[in-house]
Amino acid sequence: MKFFFVRDYRHKYRYFSSEPQVQIQVRFSRWKEIWDLAKKKLMLLPQRILCQEQAFRRALSSEKKVTIFHSGCLDKKRIRSKFRFFLRKQKTKHVLLLSGEILLLPLSGLAAILPGPNVFFGVLALLMITHWQALRGINRLLKKEYEFVSSTLFNEWEAALDCREETKFPKILKEIEEEHFLDSLRKILWK
């Protein structure tokens, strides 16, 4: 499995993996209708966010040493510190999100009086599961060793970003997708 740490078109770092997106697996047979509907709603999240959450979760099952591809614009020491800062920032964000979701959980129970399945509860529960798994992955990533590998294509991407040459974006993204076997990279790094 390959992991990537690259800036998007807004110059914010994105962390994602080469594995395709999958729906979260939850086993609740009697609430199957609620969970299926909630999964569909969860998959409507922006792909850059969903891919990042799933990449964090995949860190739970990855090896001791994680290989992360980056642009090579920064030296090893600087990219390592930037990545660790990014992880700590994400950890804080996930703790705050989980705290807010826990506060909303009792309110979602009130939606049970409405006719039909309680989709609000289902979506909230799936968001909590997603954030919890991502938080566990972030904590695991903070304890692992990283091997940063620079990629010339990601370097071209970030150079095009710095020069604001949007006409080059599709070509570079297509080359990156072909080299690293990625799907829908455009939705993660560009609009």
Side-chain angles (χ1 to χ4, degrees):
M1 182 181 324
K2 295 179 182 177
F3 292 99
F4 304 91
F5 186 59
V6 183
R7 288 188 301 164
D8 66 3
Y9 77 101
R10 290 186 262 165
H11 299 278
K12 290 185 177 184
Y13 276 92
R14 294 288 167 200
Y15 176 73
F16 55 97
S17 72
S18 58
E19 296 294 313
Q21 271 188 12
V22 293
Q23 286 190 347
I24 295 181
Q25 300 300 319
V26 179
R27 295 183 187 118
F28 292 107
S29 59
R30 66 177 208 176
W31 291 356
K32 186 168 176 28
E33 180 184 345
I34 295 172
W35 288 111
D36 288 340
L37 195 55
K39 282 184 202 178
K40 288 177 188 171
K41 298 286 185 190
L42 183 68
M43 295 306 279
L44 295 176
L45 284 175
Q47 194 164 13
R48 71 176 51 98
I49 294 171
L50 200 55
C51 285
Q52 183 168 288
E53 297 295 305
Q54 291 186 355
F56 286 141
R57 187 192 60 170
R58 287 184 180 115
L60 291 170
S61 61
S62 65
E63 307 83 30
K64 272 189 174 182
K65 193 171 196 175
V66 179
T67 303
I68 302 171
F69 290 84
H70 68 103
S71 66
C73 293
L74 302 174
D75 60 14
K76 296 270 185 194
K77 185 177 180 183
R78 188 127 185 256
I79 192 72
R80 185 175 307 280
S81 66
K82 195 167 246 336
F83 184 66
R84 288 191 66 77
F85 178 74
F86 170 78
L87 287 177
R88 288 196 171 109
K89 184 176 160 186
Q90 288 295 319
K91 181 179 178 178
T92 304
K93 176 182 168 186
H94 280 77
V95 167
L96 291 173
L97 284 170
L98 277 169
S99 301
E101 290 162 353
I102 288 171
L103 293 174
L104 287 176
L105 197 60
L107 294 176
S108 70
L110 296 176
I113 60 174
L114 298 174
N118 189 350
V119 178
F120 181 66
F121 172 79
V123 171
L124 186 60
L126 279 176
L127 277 173
M128 287 177 67
I129 292 168
T130 303
H131 289 141
W132 174 250
Q133 290 175 343
L135 181 62
R136 287 179 51 219
I138 292 167
N139 287 333
R140 180 86 43 95
L141 272 173
L142 283 167
K143 296 174 187 171
K144 289 189 179 203
E145 296 179 36
Y146 317 113
E147 178 185 353
F148 289 98
V149 177
S150 61
S151 168
T152 56
L153 287 173
F154 285 124
N155 195 341
E156 283 181 40
W157 165 254
E158 290 197 8
L161 279 177
D162 292 338
C163 297
R164 293 184 174 88
E165 297 174 340
E166 289 194 24
T167 56
K168 291 184 179 180
F169 289 0
K171 179 183 174 261
I172 295 170
L173 290 174
K174 184 174 171 75
E175 289 174 6
I176 293 171
E177 284 177 345
E178 290 171 359
E179 182 176 318
H180 295 288
F181 306 107
L182 296 168
D183 291 334
S184 59
L185 185 63
R186 183 183 181 129
K187 292 180 182 176
I188 298 170
L189 294 180
W190 199 20
K191 299 175 184 176

